[in-house]
Amino acid sequence: SKAASQHLAVGAAYVAKVSEPHLKKGQELYDIHLKEHVDKHYTPVHESHVAPLVATVQTAIVEMINSIKDFLSFVHAKLVAGLERSCPTFQKTLNKVHLYTVHDFVQKECKDSAVAVNKVLWLYLALFVLLFRDFLWRATKAIIYFPFKVMWYLTPLPFLFGKKKKVGDEDAKTRPNSDANGIVKSEPDGNGAKASKILIKEEQ
């Protein structure tokens, strides 16, 4: 572990040395292009609204996590106590039906009820993750990306790097049967002939 800590320290020092000029250049560009807008538009909003809201949300999250921990500890203690009460009766039942192999397994697990309960809970957790892995993955990505989305819309970045619309898009929306380039498309009729060809035949 000592050697690993030394390697990490050397790697961190190297990364800091290599990234120093890039960080300096980025700070210069920030001071030139963004600092004025951030100080004028973002900082007041952040100090008056965003920071208090974040503090309130953090406090609520900490309280919720503590409540969940207390509830899980209470449930775990109840399960351990219930297993300790049930073990003697279960072992007697196994002796009566001569299931000695299962009896030895139950006797081994009943020596430490807390460990047995932990094994069962970990098994249920593994099954839950396996069954709902897609939902958990989407939820994890949403939680990770949420702060960056908030930062994006609370800074001047959308005005600087916002997606630009194509010129032909708005014109195409106002013209029937036209694509993004404004070219009008002709539609075939029920007999498979073009409407323009029918008009020419009628004139003839």
Side-chain angles (χ1 to χ4, degrees), residues 69-81:
K69 287 182 178 179
D70 294 339
F71 175 75
L72 292 178
S73 299
F74 172 77
V75 172
H76 186 268
K78 287 291 185 181
L79 292 174
V80 171

Side-chain angles (χ1 to χ4, degrees), residues 19-195:
S19 61
E20 183 178 358
H22 301 286
L23 294 175
K24 186 177 180 180
K25 183 65 176 177
Q27 183 64 39
E28 293 176 356
L29 294 174
Y30 170 81
D31 293 337
I32 295 172
H33 300 287
L34 290 178
K35 189 175 187 305
E36 181 181 356
H37 299 283
V38 172
D39 293 341
K40 182 179 180 180
H41 300 287
Y42 172 70
T43 303
V45 176
H46 176 79
E47 292 178 352
S48 60
H49 296 86
V50 179
L53 178 62
V54 171
T56 303
V57 171
Q58 287 179 343
T59 303
I61 291 175
V62 171
E63 292 178 353
M64 181 178 65
I65 292 174
N66 292 333
S67 299
I68 292 173
K69 287 182 178 179
D70 294 339
F71 175 75
L72 292 178
S73 299
F74 172 77
V75 172
H76 186 268
K78 287 291 185 181
L79 292 174
V80 171
L83 182 60
E84 290 177 348
R85 290 194 302 268
S86 303
C87 275
T89 305
F90 194 43
Q91 289 176 2
K92 291 179 181 179
T93 304
L94 292 176
N95 284 331
K96 291 180 180 179
V97 295
H98 306 291
L99 293 175
Y100 300 110
T101 304
V102 180
H103 177 271
D104 294 338
F105 173 78
V106 172
Q107 186 176 10
K108 180 181 178 182
E109 295 298 327
C110 286
K111 289 181 179 179
D112 194 345
S113 300
V115 174
V117 170
N118 290 339
K119 290 179 180 179
V120 175
L121 292 178
W122 279 112
L123 178 61
Y124 277 112
L125 179 61
L127 291 174
F128 177 81
V129 172
L130 182 63
L131 293 175
F132 298 96
R133 56 188 181 276
D134 293 335
F135 169 76
L136 294 174
W137 173 243
R138 291 195 298 269
T140 302
K141 288 196 299 184
I143 293 171
I144 293 174
Y145 292 149
F146 178 74
F148 297 100
K149 291 181 179 179
V150 173
M151 291 173 61
W152 172 262
Y153 288 107
L154 293 179
T155 59
L157 294 177
F159 300 100
L160 298 176
F161 305 103
K163 185 178 180 181
K164 296 182 180 179
K165 295 182 178 180
K166 295 182 179 180
V167 178
D169 291 345
E170 296 296 331
D171 295 336
K173 293 179 181 179
T174 58
R175 297 181 182 178
N177 300 328
S178 60
D179 57 10
N181 296 322
I183 301 174
V184 179
K185 300 178 181 179
S186 60
E187 296 291 339
D189 61 359
N191 298 323
K194 298 291 184 179

